Amino acid sequence: MKINYSVGMRVKELRIFHGLSQEQLALHSEITPAYLGQIERSEKKPTVYTIEKICSALDISLSNFFSDQSFSNTEEDTVLKQISLELKNCSTEEKQEILQIIRHAMKLRQL
């Protein structure tokens, strides 16, 4: 791990990697967008509990959050991550219905 590790910079890096706005990540993390902005600007130091909520929203582990791993981004990866995040709290039945809608849309696109 880097000696001058910035939690705020890491949150921002991961948020951008996942293609999320501050508002979207804040909503999924159950914190306010203002507080998330303060964390990203290193104006506030979040508790481990808050970092855990952010990690949960990003679907990563705390150890991954604090690793030196850098994240590169492609447009396709970003869209897939956004879809996954949106479906995270859906039931299995809802996910199956959405899958059917996607399959139907793909068939229509081929016409």
Side-chain angles (χ1 to χ4, degrees):
M1 182 166 57
K2 300 173 188 166
I3 294 173
N4 292 324
Y5 193 86
S6 170
V7 170
M9 285 176 52
R10 183 63 166 184
V11 169
K12 184 174 183 177
E13 173 189 22
L14 291 166
R15 176 180 60 77
I16 291 169
F17 174 74
H18 285 84
L20 299 171
S21 67
Q22 284 184 341
E23 292 79 13
Q24 290 170 317
L25 180 56
L27 176 68
H28 290 290
S29 302
E30 299 176 347
I31 60 176
T32 66
Y35 183 50
L36 181 63
Q38 291 171 328
I39 291 170
E40 287 188 1
R41 292 187 302 276
S42 298
E43 295 170 359
K44 296 283 185 177
K45 295 182 179 12
T47 63
V48 173
Y49 177 69
T50 300
I51 294 171
E52 183 178 46
K53 287 174 31 172
I54 292 169
C55 288
S56 177
L58 295 170
D59 200 26
I60 64 168
S61 66
L62 275 171
S63 62
N64 198 5
F65 179 87
F66 287 106
S67 74
D68 280 342
Q69 177 185 1
S70 65
F71 291 84
S72 61
N73 207 2
T74 68
E75 188 174 335
E76 181 180 334
D77 289 341
T78 299
V79 172
L80 290 174
K81 285 177 184 9
Q82 287 175 318
I83 291 168
S84 177
L85 188 61
E86 291 297 326
L87 295 175
K88 186 176 180 181
N89 294 322
C90 292
S91 69
T92 302
E93 289 176 358
E94 291 170 321
K95 290 175 187 174
Q96 288 293 333
E97 290 173 7
I98 292 167
L99 178 58
Q100 291 302 319
I101 292 168
I102 292 170
R103 287 180 176 157
H104 183 68
M106 297 299 289
K107 286 179 184 176
L108 290 174
R109 202 178 90 185
Q110 293 174 353
L111 297 177

